[in-house]
Amino acid sequence: MPFTALQLYTIRDFTAQDVPGTLRKVKEMGYDHVELAGTYGMEFPGFKAILDEIGLCAISAHVQYDDLKSDMAGTIASYRSLGCEYVIIPMLQRDQLPGGTNCLKEFFMQFCAECKKAGVVPAYHNHAHEFERLPDGTFILDKLFEFVPELFAELDTGWLTAAEQCPAEYIKKYGSRCPIVHLKDTTLVDGKYEDRPVGKGSQDIAGIIAAAHEAGASGFVAELDRAVGLSSLNAAKESREYLKSLGY
């Protein structure tokens, strides 16, 4: 059974006030796994102790480019020490991607090599700007994965939808290179996409999950960039309840 995690960026307004107390609430919702977005300024051993005490597994982490650039091997090793099986670059600027003036192909190659040494899976998490087309008609995201064959995809369904791409079809396209799927449900309001708890937006979540199963995905990560009309904790809870109703 694939794991179901919460991307802790979702509840950043609550962790800013109380990390251990908020993480306990996450566990009480029924999440056994979390995806990290930093360690709140804590040293890694201390943060690991909190996770262990609460009973949360840090299955994956979004790790910023600057941290990797300053000490790639050490940064990856630190997240591995927390138990992370996936280290994910959450976003890069347009000029750092294929077709840009500062394309980081060598950085990506080194990133994949260091992750392999550490025994973790290297991945990239998309937004919408990776779906601009290059002069040859290829999407930037596709060119990235062509350039770096050892890199895996953490496809974000919300951003795929915003880029006018079908999440299920894109998951099928990348198949086994898409081990984690970000379930970010959205709905269109006045011409703009707003996040909703998973199952409360307009996305075909069941179809997305079916495509992920077919691709052999290892897990799902629920995320909201911004909760609308309810607290971020309640949005995380509603997402968990919906996924439980589907058997996850």
Side-chain angles (χ1 to χ4, degrees), residues 55-173:
L56 286 172
C57 171
I59 190 70
S60 54
H62 279 193
V63 182
Q64 298 297 323
Y65 165 71
D66 288 345
D67 293 332
L68 291 166
K69 183 181 178 183
S70 65
D71 181 7
M72 186 175 291
T75 298
I76 292 169
S78 293
Y79 280 97
R80 187 71 187 99
S81 75
L82 294 178
C84 293
E85 298 179 18
Y86 304 86
V87 173
I88 301 149
I89 298 171
M91 186 181 75
L92 288 173
Q93 299 303 314
R94 170 67 184 83
D95 71 322
Q96 297 173 313
L97 295 164
T101 56
N102 186 32
C103 181
L104 299 175
K105 182 178 178 180
E106 291 185 5
F107 165 83
F108 275 108
M109 298 296 286
Q110 183 188 358
F111 172 62
C112 291
E114 292 294 346
C115 283
K116 185 175 182 180
K117 289 179 187 176
V120 299
V121 176
Y124 182 81
H125 166 271
N126 68 280
H127 285 71
H129 64 275
E130 295 93 348
F131 292 93
E132 293 179 23
R133 291 194 183 274
L134 296 169
D136 66 359
T138 306
F139 285 133
I140 292 169
L141 189 73
D142 294 332
K143 185 65 72 174
L144 172 63
F145 290 119
E146 178 187 325
F147 273 2
V148 193
E150 294 182 339
L151 186 67
F152 288 78
E154 183 183 57
L155 295 176
D156 184 300
T157 64
W159 287 113
L160 279 162
T161 299
E164 300 183 341
Q165 303 302 309
C166 173
E169 291 303 315
Y170 234 87
I171 290 166
K172 291 176 184 178
K173 177 177 181 176

Side-chain angles (χ1 to χ4, degrees), residues 7 9 12 30 56 58 66 105 135 170 178 180 199-200 214 229 247:
Q7 167 50 259
Y9 181 77
R12 59 196 178 277
L56 286 172
D66 288 345
K105 182 178 178 180
Y170 234 87
C178 183
I180 303 179
K200 298 294 179 70
E214 184 180 334

